Amino acid sequence: MAKERKIASPEPTVGSEPYWEGAREGKLLLRHCTSCNKVHHYPRALCPYCFSDKLDWREASGKGKVYTYSVMRRAPEPYVIAYVTLDEGIKMMTNIVDCDLDKVRIDQPVKVVFKPSENGQPVPMFAPA
Amino acid sequence: MSTKGKAYIVGAYEHPTRKAPDKSLAQLHAEVAKGAIEDAGLTKDDVDGYFCAAGDTPGLGGLSMIDYMNLNLRHVDTTDTGGSSYLVHVGHAAEAIAAGRCNVALITLAGRPRSEGMATGTAPRAGNPNQPDLQFEFPYAPATANMYAMCAMRHMHEFGTTSEQLAWVKVAASHHAQHNEHAMLRDVVTVEDVVNSPMVTDPLHRLDCCVISDGGGALVVTRPEIAKSLKRPKVKIIGTGEAAKHQMAGHVDLTYTGGTKSGKAAFEEAGVTPKDIKYASIYDSFTITVVMQLEDLGFCERGKGGRFVSDGNLISGVGKLPFNTDGGGLCNNHPANRGGMTKVIEAVRQLRGEAHPKVQVKNCDVALAHGTGGSLGTRHCGSTVIMERE
């Protein structure tokens, strides 16, 4: 297991607060368009497919698999950055944590976990499922 | 409206410095401007259009530099697409000239990240909190190098590309850099040297990454009538293209770049194909960047880039496609962490027959310069310029 690095805290913008509130409740939320019925990430105020402003939040299953990753070695605490393909079909940038850095693989099943950032705000990350 | 043949690159200058603690950023911009204007045989007073990227130019947009150089302009364009900005500027300059908006366009780039001690590739760089993606990315510590590494990792997974194949890009660059007295790294390296160099961010080793350098460069673009009145060899702009690519609302695909579109646009406008290209400058922030862009531009099939670059195929006088004969970003320089400018400059040298004799491509009549700005791992803009010697 790698030593845990300090995680920079996200700075929410107007409209993104529910995403971070969800993270505090242990939920990974996806923005969903009620006009075209598609989900997107990262969350926007206007649907990036159809520009509708009729959007709600859907809780993601929290399950996915590694699309790609890299182990950054030139850092005080090496860490794994990745894109994970969620079961909902879209990808998000994240870190793979709670694992042996050298055992991460593309297509590996992972599940969401929440790690506290510097100010305590939990940030969604993924661990081997 | 096609701009094919409506503008010429008549001035090109690369700053010889690679470390400039004794020069200000504004001074570097002015020195490269002077160099390119003199190379063209023009004067500062002839310049009526100025192009720069807001990101490497001190002050608001280009305004402080326009003031510093005391330019008298009727056209300004400060488009910033990162390292590809200067390729974009060549296309925009051709458009402005064709539209009669200016006669003599000056493009400058300068930077001093080496003197300023930037950990360019490995340190995550915070942005403006209003940047909508920042809060969803910065906590995960995206740096430049690990973003490109994720592209390499996926390329290897999908296409079987190997570290040894990527290493050939650096090997070819080093073969060229040995002849460039200004290059930061002049030692010829082998595939083994690259794959045995320390791992930075899997699967990219230290020698898969470009250098960090100070310096800059400038170009002068003008109308055909003015180009014909000058004494320099004529480098005609025959095709340009630009295309942004991003995360597609979450449908990320890291196996290709904006070059698929910018290259197609440039080739169509120029009326040539990859087979016609005698020399190619390809932005080499990392070895993987070259492999992906060569595929996207059509020099080989998608997924076959690793095989294409192997066995010295990019070495001038040896391989099928001589590339980056100045040593590129991998060995020569990478001023302002933005490689697009030097790509155009070396292509101009090749077309003029002014590259180093050891790397000069024979009968180099059509050349391509291509680059990418931003990050292939998140959002970027590819830009392509095809030029012809007249």
Side-chain angles (χ1 to χ4, degrees), chain A residues 5 13 68 70 73 79 83 91 124, chain B residues 139-141 150 201-202 250 377:
Chain A
R5 67 179 185 89
T13 44
T68 189
S70 178
R73 313 272 173 184
Y79 60 96
Y83 277 107
K91 300 183 182 85
Chain B
Y140 305 116
M150 286 203 292
T201 181
D202 307 29

Side-chain angles (χ1 to χ4, degrees), chain A residues 5 8 12-13 16 19-20 40-43 49 67-71 73-74 79 81 83 91 93 95 106 123-124, chain B residues 129 132 135-136 139-142 146-147 149-150 153-154 157 199-202 247 249-254 377-378:
Chain A
R5 67 179 185 89
T13 44
S16 74
Y19 180 87
W20 296 112
H40 67 265
H41 186 80
Y42 60 90
Y49 305 108
Y67 170 71
T68 189
Y69 70 97
S70 178
V71 185
R73 313 272 173 184
R74 291 270 299 230
Y79 60 96
I81 199 158
Y83 277 107
K91 300 183 182 85
M93 187 186 292
N95 292 142
I106 286 176
V123 172
Chain B
Q135 62 189 298
F136 302 101
Y140 305 116
N146 58 5
M147 292 292 102
M150 286 203 292
M153 197 67 91
R154 187 71 201 181
H157 176 80
M199 191 65 85
V200 172
T201 181
D202 307 29
Q247 296 173 328
H251 299 275
V252 177
D253 185 341
L254 298 189
T378 53

Side-chain angles (χ1 to χ4, degrees), chain B residues 89-362:
Chain B
H89 293 157
V90 169
H92 289 192
E95 290 167 13
I97 288 163
R101 297 289 180 179
C102 61
N103 290 320
V104 176
L106 168 68
I107 309 170
T108 70
L109 153 89
R112 48 205 299 288
R114 193 176 175 201
S115 291
E116 290 165 8
M118 274 183 81
T120 299
T122 53
R125 278 181 260 174
N128 178 329
N130 284 318
Q131 189 182 319
D133 42 76
L134 190 75
Q135 62 189 298
F136 302 101
E137 295 179 358
F138 196 64
Y140 305 116
T144 305
N146 58 5
M147 292 292 102
Y148 283 74
M150 286 203 292
C151 296
M153 197 67 91
R154 187 71 201 181
H155 207 274
M156 289 175 164
H157 176 80
E158 286 205 20
F159 306 120
T161 307
T162 66
S163 288
E164 286 73 15
Q165 290 173 335
L166 296 184
W168 271 107
V169 176
K170 169 74 175 187
V171 170
S174 77
H175 272 267
H176 300 149
Q178 65 177 317
H179 305 297
N180 181 351
E181 60 173 324
H182 299 299
M184 275 179 71
L185 306 176
R186 297 186 65 189
D187 290 340
V188 172
V189 301
T190 64
V191 167
E192 289 69 33
D193 291 334
V194 180
V195 299
N196 292 326
S197 65
M199 191 65 85
V200 172
T201 181
D202 307 29
L204 299 179
H205 307 79
R206 185 162 184 205
L207 296 189
D208 286 298
C209 306
C210 66
V211 299
I212 298 171
S213 81
D214 299 343
L219 297 164
V220 176
V221 183
T222 193
R223 291 165 42 187
E225 307 81 67
I226 297 174
K228 280 165 192 163
S229 74
L230 300 171
K231 294 191 177 69
R232 302 296 276 137
K234 279 176 269 308
V235 173
K236 182 160 68 175
I237 300 163
I238 58 171
T240 63
E242 64 191 62
K245 177 172 174 275
H246 45 73
Q247 296 173 328
M248 300 173 285
H251 299 275
V252 177
D253 185 341
L254 298 189
T255 62
Y256 70 98
T257 76
T260 51
K261 285 187 186 168
S262 72
K264 187 167 185 284
F267 277 114
E268 281 178 7
E269 185 177 38
V272 300
T273 71
K275 284 195 179 67
D276 299 310
I277 302 296
K278 303 284 176 44
Y279 165 82
S281 282
I282 307 288
Y283 193 1
D284 52 346
S285 47
F286 300 91
T287 50
I288 182 64
T289 322
V290 175
V291 168
M292 290 174 67
Q293 291 174 127
L294 288 170
E295 294 175 3
D296 294 341
L297 293 167
F299 287 102
C300 61
E301 276 176 56
R302 190 164 169 200
K304 302 274 176 66
R307 241 176 286 173
F308 183 83
V309 302
S310 294
D311 306 321
N313 214 19
L314 300 178
I315 300 175
S316 185
V318 175
K320 269 194 283 195
L321 183 69
F323 101 125
N324 298 7
T325 41
D326 59 340
L330 289 166
C331 296
N332 178 20
N333 64 347
H334 192 218
N337 309 318
R338 290 161 171 251
M341 172 63 76
T342 45
K343 298 297 158 288
V344 183
I345 293 173
E346 183 66 6
V348 169
R349 288 194 194 106
Q350 281 287 353
L351 290 166
R352 287 173 168 180
E354 294 177 356
H356 190 284
K358 297 275 191 193
V359 296
Q360 175 67 50
V361 175
K362 288 193 188 100

Side-chain angles (χ1 to χ4, degrees), chain B residues 1-173:
Chain B
M1 178 186 76
S2 169
T3 57
K4 182 179 179 177
K6 292 181 178 156
Y8 289 69
I9 299 175
V10 292
Y13 180 79
E14 179 187 10
H15 206 294
T17 191
R18 299 294 178 266
K19 190 169 189 184
D22 55 334
K23 290 180 194 290
S24 71
L25 180 54
Q27 180 181 1
L28 289 172
H29 272 278
E31 286 182 358
V32 294
K34 178 177 161 84
I37 292 165
E38 286 178 359
D39 178 59
L42 291 163
T43 71
K44 186 167 77 70
D45 292 343
D46 295 316
V47 174
D48 60 354
Y50 179 56
F51 296 71
C52 65
D56 71 271
T57 312
L60 174 64
L63 296 180
S64 287
M65 281 317 305
I66 293 166
D67 183 8
Y68 185 93
M69 295 191 282
N70 194 27
L71 299 176
N72 183 10
L73 305 175
R74 58 193 185 102
H75 191 80
V76 178
D77 182 335
T78 59
T79 302
D80 194 343
T81 61
S84 61
S85 301
Y86 322 93
L87 294 144
V88 169
H89 293 157
V90 169
H92 289 192
E95 290 167 13
I97 288 163
R101 297 289 180 179
C102 61
N103 290 320
V104 176
L106 168 68
I107 309 170
T108 70
L109 153 89
R112 48 205 299 288
R114 193 176 175 201
S115 291
E116 290 165 8
M118 274 183 81
T120 299
T122 53
R125 278 181 260 174
N128 178 329
N130 284 318
Q131 189 182 319
D133 42 76
L134 190 75
Q135 62 189 298
F136 302 101
E137 295 179 358
F138 196 64
Y140 305 116
T144 305
N146 58 5
M147 292 292 102
Y148 283 74
M150 286 203 292
C151 296
M153 197 67 91
R154 187 71 201 181
H155 207 274
M156 289 175 164
H157 176 80
E158 286 205 20
F159 306 120
T161 307
T162 66
S163 288
E164 286 73 15
Q165 290 173 335
L166 296 184
W168 271 107
V169 176
K170 169 74 175 187
V171 170

